[in-house]
């Protein structure tokens, strides 16, 4: 996988060919460090650790990984030359433990530390400790991290430097009554966010003063848990904004330049999910002014190494305002690499060695267009709640010079509740935005994950949406187009299409499962000659009789969440080795399907005169067979409690359907995801009203409030603060005091 690409044009047989090749940048030989870095400790995990290790190895630099107990067999540990255990799974006891990381560097003889992003990457204290220990910190100076890491202080510095600011309160006084008064002065809606950190953690949008106290306290708790600092700032919330950021880079010789901008407007839960570079639908003049403002911001704090200056753009007025500066390498840095043809991690290492930047501002290219889509383990219908589980199947589009997949996991790995649920970053490049978008859609359709819910189908809907195709992006994109992006139960046309698609996928999946089971049986027969007797032929033989079977599959219908959909398939084995499928009512037309197994999970399927490629993933969990199928742009997940059973064609009774009723009594509220209980707001037996907050669960450093689904009395509330809860575990129930009869429950999260 190329980490940086430069564009070469070769004239072959009279034609121009565009070729992307890996290139290690030739920097100046002059360096302020007397000895170049030869060994780097990567103080991070997951995909960014793998990303840094890859470039370091290309430069001939040895690498050291650190890991918690949850990551002992992870990909970044396997990729490094050495690895050191630094503690138990919770980040505060491992990846946020500066002393243990410095001790690991000393033990292994590392000369430099690369912090990646998140964790300690924006800790001025950690950067200073590295310097004090004689270690090169591959990042900006501690002073710049301190100035820009405190969002309130950074606003004051930017204001003095002439960078435009959003109206707000950036003071150090945090008295809640004062903060309420400041919010009133600013005028609602108001944005509450921590002064430190990023990633949308702790951010709240307040529409009225009634919401302020609860939101303010929640933001403080989340900020403390994520960044160790709970101070908050307030800003006027711009109602129609775009989020555009500029990649800047400086060296230790006073040179600072920008590498164009990225648009990161498409977000959920204040976190980016699709980024692109350059930003669509902006003028060159606007781009120039934005870049100059970013460079001014960096120079105001004596910045060097990689950084990102984030701006909020008011789409109504066309004005842009400084939002914050991230003093680290960004998650989305690959899209910049793709359009400028440079390896930014290599630049970081070179700058840490004291070398000057290899090019000037005038030499910065802007070639083509790039997208990055973040593949998350999350439950989209439940409000994008983070998900945990095992990656039973993990396969992505082939990597090329214009397609990158940045990942830190492998098939069989577990996505833990302790860390960010990102599985991978899909990065594509095209000669223009339209070409890049075509490639993004294709690669998303080939991204296969089974074992836990993901946002891949949602990303496909985003990429196909007409407004996104036209570059009409802003931070409320998902909210504005929710009717297009989420299932609407009242839309009977869409609901019928979804049901028909599921039925078709179910027949394809069943045909592939039966074919593979038959081939497996054939291989396991005594004698090992692969020849089946008349009783085990394909299809199973019976004189003057075609054998039939039934298969009951369960499908989660997003248009009807009240219960899973039951699909009963009737399969007839035909003499030509094809399968005839019928679903549901008698008399409905059947589908004749022929399948050929191409590999462990790939099939060639012919149905109704059309031949297509199909991928299948099958695994067992909780006494249930899970069947995932991918074909074209479709992905469906089916469940089967019992295996396939053969029956005579004249049998009138089929095996019982998969029992789907919950094992919990009505009124029971279960945990929507695995997490840590951080606050219990009522006692057992308390009378509550519908929507009242009962407890707060934290997962992946984000807080989720569990509300009462109806009025009544809380019953069975036994969880306590700091207790870990698993996905689906019972939290409490709501009962009516008079009859002690439970109400029907649908838990509510905010």
């Amino acid at each position: 996988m190329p980490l940086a690409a430069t564009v070469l044009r070769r004239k072959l047989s009279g034609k121009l060919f565009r070729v992307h090749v890996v290139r290690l940048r030739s920097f100046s030989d002059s360096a302020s460090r007397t000895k170049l870095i030869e060994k780097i400790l990567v103080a991070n995990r997951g995909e960014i650790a793998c990303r840094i290790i890859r470039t370091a190895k290309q430069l001939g630099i040895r690498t050291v990984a650190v890991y918690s107990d949850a990551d002992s067999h992870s990909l970044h540990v396997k990729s490094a030359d050495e690895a050191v255990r630094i503690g138990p799974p919770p980040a505060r006891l491992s990846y946020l433990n500066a002393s243990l990381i410095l001790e690991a560097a000393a033990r292994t003889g590392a000369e430099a530390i690369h912090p990646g992003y998140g964790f300690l990457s924006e800790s001025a204290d950690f950067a200073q400790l590295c310097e004090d220990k004689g270690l090169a910190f591959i990042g900006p100076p501690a002073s710049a991290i301190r100035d820009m890491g405190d969002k309130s202080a950074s606003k004051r510095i930017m204001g003095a430097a002439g960078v435009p600011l959003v109206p707000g309160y950036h003071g150090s006084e945090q008295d809640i009554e004062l903060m309420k008064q400041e919010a009133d002065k600013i005028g609602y809606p108001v944005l509450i966010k921590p002064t430190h950190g990023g990633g949308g953690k702790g951010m709240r949008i307040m529409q009225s003063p009634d919401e302020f106290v609860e939101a303010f306290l929640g933001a403080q708790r989340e900020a403390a848990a994520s960044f160790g600092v709970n101070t908050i700032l307030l800003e006027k919330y711009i109602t129609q904004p775009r989020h555009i950021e500029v990649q800047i880079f400086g060296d230790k010789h006073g040179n600072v330049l920008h590498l164009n901008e990225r648009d990161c407007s498409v977000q959920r839960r204040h976190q980016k999910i699709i980024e692109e570079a350059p930003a669509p639908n902006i003028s060159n003049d606007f781009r120039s002014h934005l870049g100059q403002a970013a460079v001014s911001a960096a120079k105001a704090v004596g910045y060097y190494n990689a950084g990102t200056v984030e701006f909020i753009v008011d789409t109504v007025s066309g004005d842009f305002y400084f939002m914050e500066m991230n003093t680290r390498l960004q998650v989305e840095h690959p899209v910049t690499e793709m359009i400028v043809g440079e390896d930014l991690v290599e630049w970081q290492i070179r700058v840490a060695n004291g070398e000057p930047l290899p090019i000037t501002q005038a030499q910065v290219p802007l070639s083509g267009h790039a997208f990055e889509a973040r593949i998350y383990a999350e439950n989209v219908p439940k409000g994008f709640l983070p998900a945990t589980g095992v990656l039973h199947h993990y396969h992505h589009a082939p990597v090329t010079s214009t397609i990158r997949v940045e990942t830190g996991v492998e098939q069989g790995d577990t996505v833990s509740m302790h860390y960010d649920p990102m599985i991978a970053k899909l990065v594509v490049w095209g000669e223009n935005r339209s070409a890049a978008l075509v490639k993004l859609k294709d690669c998303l359709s080939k991204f296969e994950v089974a074992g836990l819910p993901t946002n891949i189908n949602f990303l496909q809907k985003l990429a196909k949406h007409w407004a996104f195709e036209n570059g009409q992006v802003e931070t409320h994109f998902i909210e504005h187009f929710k009717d297009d992006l989420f299932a609407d139960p009242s839309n009977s046309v869409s609901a019928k299409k979804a049901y028909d698609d599921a039925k078709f996928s179910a027949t394809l999946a069943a045909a592939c499962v039966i074919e593979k089971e038959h081939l497996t049986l054939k291989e396991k027969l005594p004698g090992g000659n692969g020849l089946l007797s008349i009783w085990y032929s394909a299809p199973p033989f019976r004189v003057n009789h075609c054998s039939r079977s039934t298969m009951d599959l369960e499908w989660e219908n997003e248009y009807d969440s009240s219960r899973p959909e039951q699909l009963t398939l009737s399969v007839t084995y035909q003499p030509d080795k094809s399968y005839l499928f019928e679903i549901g009512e008698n008399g409905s037309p059947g589908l004749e399907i022929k399948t050929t197994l191409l590999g462990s999970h790939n099939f060639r399927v012919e149905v109704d005169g059309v031949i297509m490629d199909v991928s299948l993933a099958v695994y067992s969990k909780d006494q249930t067979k899970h069947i995932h199928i991918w074909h074209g742009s479709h992905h469906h997940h089916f469940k089967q409690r019992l295996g396939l059973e053969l029956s005579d064609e004249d049998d009138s009774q089929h095996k019982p359907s998969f029992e789907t009723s919950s094992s919990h009594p009505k009124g029971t509220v279960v945990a929507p995801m695995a997490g840590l209980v951080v606050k219990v707001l009522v006692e057992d037996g308390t009378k509550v009203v519908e929507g009242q907050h009962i407890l707060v669960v934290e997962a992946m450093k984000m807080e989720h409030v569990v509300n009462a689904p109806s009025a009544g009395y809380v019953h069975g509330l036994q969880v306590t603060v700091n207790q870990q809860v698993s996905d689906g575990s019972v939290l409490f129930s709501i009962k009516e005091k008079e009859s002690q009869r439970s109400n029907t429950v649908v838990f509510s999260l905010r």
Side-chain angles (χ1 to χ4, degrees):
M1 183 186 310
L3 298 176
T6 183
V7 180
L8 305 180
R9 291 189 179 274
R10 297 177 180 174
K11 192 170 184 180
L12 302 176
S13 303
K15 296 182 180 180
L16 286 177
F17 291 82
R18 185 182 188 88
V19 183
H20 284 249
V21 298
V22 174
R23 179 186 63 184
L24 294 181
R25 164 63 65 180
S26 176
F27 277 61
S28 168
D29 290 334
S30 62
S32 60
R33 286 177 61 88
T34 56
K35 183 176 183 298
L36 298 183
I37 296 168
E38 296 183 14
K39 193 172 192 179
I40 295 173
L41 182 145
V42 182
N44 217 296
R45 63 178 300 280
E47 66 86 13
I48 187 58
C50 294
R51 164 75 185 86
I52 295 163
I53 290 168
R54 209 160 47 237
T55 287
K57 287 192 170 184
Q58 288 187 348
L59 296 172
I61 298 172
R62 292 181 60 80
T63 56
V64 180
V66 293
Y67 65 91
S68 72
D69 292 337
D71 285 337
S72 58
H73 301 291
S74 65
L75 187 59
H76 80 278
V77 171
K78 298 174 185 177
S79 302
D81 297 300
E82 300 173 65
V84 180
R85 177 188 177 274
I86 53 171
R92 68 183 185 279
L93 303 177
S94 51
Y95 297 104
L96 288 172
N97 192 322
S99 61
L100 289 178
I101 290 172
L102 292 172
E103 181 182 327
R107 288 174 58 188
T108 56
E111 300 156 333
I113 291 182
H114 196 307
Y117 56 74
F119 295 130
L120 294 170
S121 64
E122 293 183 283
S123 168
D125 292 340
F126 181 65
Q128 190 61 58
L129 280 172
C130 290
E131 295 295 334
D132 293 345
K133 297 285 185 180
L135 297 166
F137 180 78
I138 303 178
S143 59
I145 298 176
R146 187 169 289 109
D147 288 341
M148 303 307 283
D150 184 332
K151 292 182 176 62
S152 292
S154 69
K155 304 278 187 182
R156 294 190 291 270
I157 295 170
M158 292 302 101
V163 181
L165 300 176
V166 177
Y169 173 75
H170 313 123
S172 58
E173 178 59 53
Q174 297 287 297
D175 177 75
I176 194 166
E177 291 301 322
L178 173 66
M179 298 292 273
K180 285 178 63 178
Q181 293 174 13
E182 292 294 335
D184 291 337
K185 292 178 185 177
I186 296 168
Y188 287 87
V190 169
L191 179 65
I192 296 177
K193 64 180 180 179
T195 59
H196 293 72
K201 294 179 175 65
M203 290 180 62
R204 305 285 195 277
I205 301 169
M206 295 299 97
Q207 301 293 340
S208 71
D210 295 339
E211 306 171 33
F212 188 86
V213 173
E214 182 182 335
F216 180 80
L217 296 176
Q220 281 191 321
R221 286 195 304 271
E222 205 167 291
S226 299
F227 317 118
V229 180
N230 69 348
T231 51
I232 301 297
L233 63 80
L234 308 176
E235 287 182 346
K236 177 67 178 177
Y237 184 66
I238 295 175
T239 56
Q240 297 183 49
R242 285 179 69 177
H243 180 136
I244 300 180
E245 61 188 32
V246 179
Q247 176 72 62
I248 61 96
F249 227 104
D251 61 27
K252 296 178 181 179
H253 304 273
N255 303 306
V256 181
L257 54 74
H258 70 84
L259 299 171
N260 302 307
E261 80 289 341
R262 301 182 285 255
D263 192 297
C264 308
S265 298
V266 181
Q267 306 176 6
R268 92 283 182 261
R269 292 195 284 113
H270 306 299
Q271 290 183 312
K272 309 160 189 173
I273 49 175
I274 293 186
E275 302 98 340
E276 58 182 301
N281 301 330
I282 67 170
S283 66
N284 287 333
D285 185 59
F286 183 89
R287 174 173 293 117
S288 177
H289 282 96
L290 200 68
Q292 290 171 12
V295 170
S296 295
K299 288 183 175 180
V301 290
Y303 201 88
Y304 58 76
N305 217 284
T308 297
V309 183
E310 299 190 349
F311 296 95
I312 189 166
V313 179
D314 189 335
T315 58
V316 177
S317 67
D319 296 327
F320 65 85
Y321 305 97
F322 173 83
M323 187 162 55
E324 63 186 40
M325 183 175 187
N326 292 315
T327 54
R328 53 173 166 81
L329 195 66
Q330 288 280 86
V331 176
E332 58 272 19
H333 75 274
V335 290
T336 296
E337 292 182 321
M338 296 296 261
I339 66 166
V340 300
E342 299 291 346
D343 182 338
L344 298 191
V345 173
E346 181 192 350
W347 276 33
Q348 285 191 290
I349 295 170
R350 301 280 195 181
V351 167
N353 274 330
E355 301 177 37
L357 294 178
I359 58 177
T360 65
Q361 186 67 65
Q363 295 173 313
V364 175
L366 199 170
S367 173
H369 202 96
F371 286 99
E372 174 181 283
R374 302 189 191 188
I375 312 298
Y376 280 104
E378 62 185 14
N379 196 316
V380 173
K382 289 185 179 180
F384 301 97
L385 286 179
T388 60
V390 176
L391 290 166
H392 288 286
H393 177 82
Y394 181 41
H395 180 77
H396 53 72
V399 171
T400 70
S401 60
T402 61
I403 299 171
R404 291 168 58 170
V405 177
E406 301 289 350
T407 187
V409 294
E410 301 174 292
Q411 184 167 301
D413 284 354
T414 297
V415 176
S416 165
M417 62 170 280
H418 298 286
Y419 314 115
D420 187 271
M422 187 166 65
I423 296 171
K425 301 183 309 194
L426 170 64
V427 185
V428 301
W429 179 92
E431 292 186 353
N432 52 53
R433 190 176 189 272
S434 297
L437 187 54
V438 168
K439 196 170 295 183
L440 177 67
K441 295 174 186 177
D442 180 60
C443 290
L444 283 171
S445 72
K446 295 174 181 175
F447 217 108
E448 303 171 6
V449 178
L452 36 67
T454 75
N455 66 337
I456 296 174
N457 286 355
F458 183 76
L459 289 170
Q460 288 180 283
K461 290 181 181 179
L462 273 175
K464 293 176 182 177
H465 195 275
W466 65 267
F468 187 82
E469 289 179 334
N470 293 334
Q472 297 176 17
V473 291
E474 49 100 9
T475 56
H476 300 306
F477 186 94
I478 293 174
E479 175 64 23
H480 285 171
F481 296 107
K482 61 183 178 182
D483 292 343
D484 300 335
L485 300 173
F486 299 98
D488 179 6
S490 65
N491 189 329
S492 58
V493 175
S494 296
K496 183 180 185 304
K497 184 180 185 306
Y499 181 70
D500 291 342
D501 289 344
K503 286 197 302 181
F504 182 67
S505 289
T507 60
L508 297 182
C512 293
V513 168
I514 295 169
E515 180 70 10
K516 189 167 185 179
E517 288 181 349
H518 173 256
L519 292 175
T520 301
L521 173 65
K522 183 178 179 180
E523 293 172 356
K524 291 182 178 179
L525 282 178
N529 58 13
L531 298 176
L532 297 176
S533 72
I534 193 171
W535 304 108
Y536 295 96
S537 61
F541 174 82
R542 181 174 168 186
V543 178
N544 298 321
H545 188 88
C546 285
S547 181
R548 295 184 63 187
S549 67
T550 59
M551 179 181 284
D552 291 331
L553 298 179
E554 176 188 296
W555 167 59
E556 296 288 345
N557 186 352
E558 62 180 346
Y559 286 88
D560 183 5
S561 58
S562 62
R563 60 180 177 81
E565 197 80 44
Q566 301 297 317
L567 301 174
T568 299
L569 289 74
S570 175
V571 191
T572 301
Y573 303 83
Q574 303 195 114
D576 64 350
K577 299 184 181 181
S578 67
Y579 304 102
L580 180 64
F581 281 89
E582 296 171 286
I583 298 182
E585 303 81 12
N586 293 331
S588 59
L591 280 178
E592 187 173 302
I593 300 177
K594 291 183 179 181
T595 63
T596 302
L597 179 64
L598 302 179
S600 60
H601 65 276
N602 295 318
F603 296 80
R604 193 77 165 166
V605 176
E606 180 181 349
V607 53
D608 196 23
V610 177
I611 298 175
M612 67 186 74
D613 290 324
V614 170
S615 295
L616 200 71
V618 181
Y619 61 92
S620 295
K621 178 183 177 183
D622 300 329
Q623 298 182 327
T624 299
K625 178 184 285 187
H626 293 257
I627 304 169
H628 289 258
I629 182 170
W630 295 267
H631 62 96
S633 61
H634 298 283
H635 167 228
H636 285 91
H637 173 204
F638 303 102
K639 298 177 184 178
Q640 183 188 30
R641 174 64 63 89
L642 300 173
L644 182 68
E645 294 183 349
L646 293 178
S647 62
D648 291 339
E649 68 174 351
D650 54 353
D651 282 351
S652 59
Q653 299 296 321
H654 296 297
K655 65 186 179 183
S657 297
F658 179 31
E659 181 61 48
T660 60
S661 62
S662 172
S663 59
H664 303 299
K666 290 183 178 180
T668 302
V669 177
V670 300
M673 72 283 171
L676 179 73
V677 177
V678 295
K679 198 166 187 180
V680 178
L681 303 170
V682 302
E683 295 181 353
D684 193 34
T686 302
K687 184 178 181 179
V688 295
V689 298
E690 181 178 349
Q692 183 171 335
H693 301 341
I694 306 300
L695 53 87
V696 180
V697 179
E698 179 190 280
M700 281 83 169
K701 300 180 183 178
M702 299 291 286
E703 286 192 354
H704 308 274
V705 181
V706 180
N707 300 328
S710 59
Y713 291 82
V714 177
H715 177 76
L717 180 62
Q718 297 180 352
V719 295
T720 58
V721 173
N722 293 326
Q723 179 179 334
Q724 300 278 358
V725 293
S726 58
D727 186 9
S729 61
V730 175
L731 299 176
F732 60 90
S733 63
I734 301 295
K735 293 189 175 183
E736 296 178 0
K737 187 176 182 181
E738 293 78 10
S739 62
Q740 290 296 296
R741 180 171 50 84
S742 298
N743 299 308
T744 302
V745 145
V746 177
F747 63 79
S748 176
L749 291 172
R750 198 182 83 180

